[in-house]
Amino acid sequence: MSVSSIGQIISRQNVEDAYIATLRTWLQTYLSEVQAQNSLPSLPAPPSAASFYGGVDERTWSEDELPAVVVIAQPVDDPIRFGSGNYAQWYEVIVNAVTVAETEDDSRALAGWYAAAIATLITQQSDLGEFALDTIPIDPGHAEFLDDESHGRRFAQCPATFKTLVFSTMSADNAPVLPDWPPPATPTVETTTGTIDAVPVTNAP
């Protein structure tokens, strides 16, 4: 991130991006650990990097991207001011695992395994790649179906919730100085006259 003398300007989008980058890097490692510890068959991985994305609610998903991981980040609580004039901000972040399977039991179980892997991943990688001061788990996830029995209950989700503290989201003391106003008058151009004696090159000393 390029930062001028104004200081960092952090939005919920930056938090969302930090989560997505961390999840893309680490999720397969934690899914493999869940699989090994529980003697499970191979757990399906998100089909592509596009299966990790941000949203504004837990209904943001598309079937062709499943399993998918949806990140929803919003600021919570008042900003915290430090003596330096910098502010820190808590964000509530929901990481929603959305899965699909052939049966109701498999769909529910898969969403739960995903949520367990995500909860441990984010808790252990709490600085989100040196982006955050800390991240704490709030809710490891509650599985629920996204379709009813008439559709086979093949789709499930299990959103896990975290709080992440980001330092220097803005600064009160780095405001730029206003330029002089009105600007200085346009400089004037003076002309002079004189005589120039031309000397042939061959006769130059």
Side-chain angles (χ1 to χ4, degrees):
M1 178 184 296
S2 176
V3 179
S4 72
S5 60
I6 292 175
Q8 285 195 137
I9 301 174
I10 299 293
S11 78
R12 55 160 301 280
Q13 186 64 50
N14 298 111
V15 180
E16 179 183 295
D17 291 345
Y19 264 80
I20 290 173
T22 301
L23 288 159
R24 283 176 176 165
T25 300
W26 289 104
L27 182 57
Q28 189 55 57
T29 299
Y30 285 83
L31 286 175
S32 297
E33 185 64 22
V34 167
Q35 177 183 325
Q37 288 187 17
N38 295 277
S39 302
L40 299 171
S42 179
L43 296 174
S48 71
S51 295
F52 299 82
Y53 49 88
V56 294
D57 57 45
E58 296 166 16
R59 297 181 297 276
T60 306
W61 57 275
S62 175
E63 182 176 354
D64 59 358
E65 296 168 335
L66 301 183
V69 179
V70 185
V71 177
I72 306 153
Q74 298 291 356
V76 292
D77 305 328
D78 294 336
I80 304 167
R81 178 166 179 164
F82 291 82
S84 62
N86 287 318
Y87 283 83
Q89 178 67 56
W90 283 103
Y91 289 82
E92 181 181 79
V93 183
I94 298 171
V95 182
N96 191 26
V98 185
T99 59
V100 61
E102 291 302 318
T103 69
E104 176 179 331
D105 285 345
D106 287 346
S107 182
R108 173 178 50 81
L110 182 57
W113 295 128
Y114 256 74
I118 289 169
T120 303
L121 185 169
I122 296 298
T123 300
Q124 291 188 350
Q125 309 296 331
S126 59
D127 68 349
L128 306 174
E130 300 183 350
F131 172 79
L133 285 178
D134 196 14
T135 297
I136 56 176
I138 302 300
D139 182 348
H142 290 79
E144 58 186 13
F145 291 106
L146 295 168
D147 56 347
D148 56 30
E149 293 181 1
S150 65
H151 292 86
R153 286 194 159 186
R154 297 176 53 243
F155 299 90
Q157 67 178 7
C158 196
T161 305
F162 307 88
K163 283 185 74 174
T164 292
L165 182 61
V166 181
F167 180 66
S168 196
T169 54
M170 57 184 172
S171 173
D173 298 334
N174 292 333
V177 177
L178 285 173
D180 293 333
W181 191 262
T186 303
T188 57
V189 178
E190 296 181 357
T191 59
T192 59
T193 59
T195 301
I196 299 175
D197 294 328
V199 178
V201 173
T202 54
N203 297 331

